[in-house]
Amino acid sequence: LTTGAACGIALGVFLTRDIPQVDSLQFTVPLQTTERTLGVLHVDSLSSAGNYDINVNQGTLQSDNYAFIFVKGKLAIGKTLLTIKAKDVQRSYGQPDPEFSYTLNGFVNGQSLGNSGISGSPEVGSGTSEYTSAGVYDIIADQGTMFSDNYDFAFVNGKLTINKAVLNVKVNDASRTYGSANPEFTYSLSGFVNGESLEAIGLEGAP
C-alpha cells in the first residue's frame, strides 16, 4: 500500500467507526438571509393565501468533494379565520322581527370589510314571526353569498328573545247609593295583538 492509500484506509476506518452514516443532511436557514441563499421573494404579510416557491441557491456553500443540487420548497399561506356572529336582539310578542345584524372579527393587516376583498354577505335569520310564542330562539348565521380569497368563515348564532306582550287589565268604574250593597265589579282587557281576543288566547283564571 502506498502512503496515500494507507492514509485513505485509515481515514475511512476513522469515519466509519466514529461518525454515523447518513444519507442526507438537512439545514434550517432563516428566510431572507443576507446572502439570499434561501427565501421567498416578493412575499410578505400582505400576500394572498396560496402556495409559493421557496427558492434556494448556492450562496456561500463550498465543498472540495461535493456538488450541490438545489430543490425548491413550498410556502403554503392558508386563509385566516374570520368570525361572523349574529347580534342578540329582543322584541315583544306580536311585533315583527327586527332587521337582524352581525359583527365580524378577525381581520388582519389593518383591513375591514370594505377593503378586505370579501364579496357577498351572510344570511342571518330566525324563522320566527309575530305569531311565534314568547321565548328564546336562535338567530342563525350562515355563509350566504360571502366569498374571499384570503379568509375562511366561522359562524356564531345569536339569540332572539321574544318577551310577553303587555295586557292591560282595568277595573271598570262602578257606583251605588249609600246603604246599598256593592255591585259586582267587572274589568276590561286591552292590549291584545295579532287580532286576538280573550276567547282566542286561552286565558286562565281571573283577576
Side-chain angles (χ1 to χ4, degrees):
L1 295 174
T2 66
T3 303
C7 290
I9 292 173
L11 180 60
V13 172
F14 172 76
L15 291 174
T16 302
R17 293 178 58 189
D18 298 330
I19 298 178
Q21 296 296 305
V22 295
D23 294 327
S24 63
L25 296 176
Q26 295 185 353
F27 297 90
T28 300
V29 182
L31 294 182
Q32 305 290 9
T33 61
T34 55
E35 297 86 1
R36 290 195 178 275
T37 59
L38 184 65
V40 187
L41 300 182
H42 311 301
V43 175
D44 57 22
S45 63
L46 297 176
S47 298
S48 297
N51 293 318
Y52 298 84
D53 286 337
I54 303 174
N55 301 304
V56 58
N57 54 51
Q58 187 159 345
T60 59
L61 282 173
Q62 293 183 1
S63 174
D64 292 334
N65 297 317
Y66 290 93
F68 303 102
I69 296 174
F70 300 97
V71 181
K72 294 179 179 180
K74 291 290 184 182
L75 170 65
I77 301 179
K79 294 184 178 183
T80 293
L81 190 64
L82 192 69
T83 301
I84 294 92
K85 183 186 184 306
K87 290 184 178 180
D88 297 336
V89 293
Q90 57 181 315
R91 65 167 175 87
S92 296
Y93 171 71
Q95 295 180 342
D97 286 333
E99 182 176 354
F100 298 121
S101 58
Y102 55 89
T103 59
L104 300 99
N105 291 291
F107 287 109
V108 294
N109 295 326
Q111 293 179 337
S112 61
L113 181 61
N115 62 7
S116 63
I118 295 175
S119 61
S121 59
E123 291 183 358
V124 183
S126 64
T128 54
S129 72
E130 60 267 35
Y131 296 97
T132 303
S133 296
V136 179
Y137 300 86
D138 284 332
I139 302 173
I140 307 297
D142 193 67
Q143 185 159 346
T145 58
M146 291 190 80
F147 175 80
S148 173
D149 289 329
N150 296 318
Y151 291 94
D152 277 329
F153 307 111
F155 299 92
V156 180
N157 295 338
K159 293 294 183 184
L160 168 64
T161 301
I162 301 179
N163 300 310
K164 293 182 178 182
V166 177
L167 202 60
N168 297 307
V169 182
K170 182 183 182 304
V171 177
N172 297 323
D173 296 336
S175 63
R176 64 172 177 83
T177 58
Y178 174 72
S180 300
N182 287 330
E184 182 178 355
F185 298 122
T186 60
Y187 61 92
S188 58
L189 301 170
S190 62
F192 290 105
V193 295
N194 295 332
E196 295 173 343
S197 62
L198 177 61
E199 292 75 17
I201 65 173
L203 186 66
E204 299 180 357

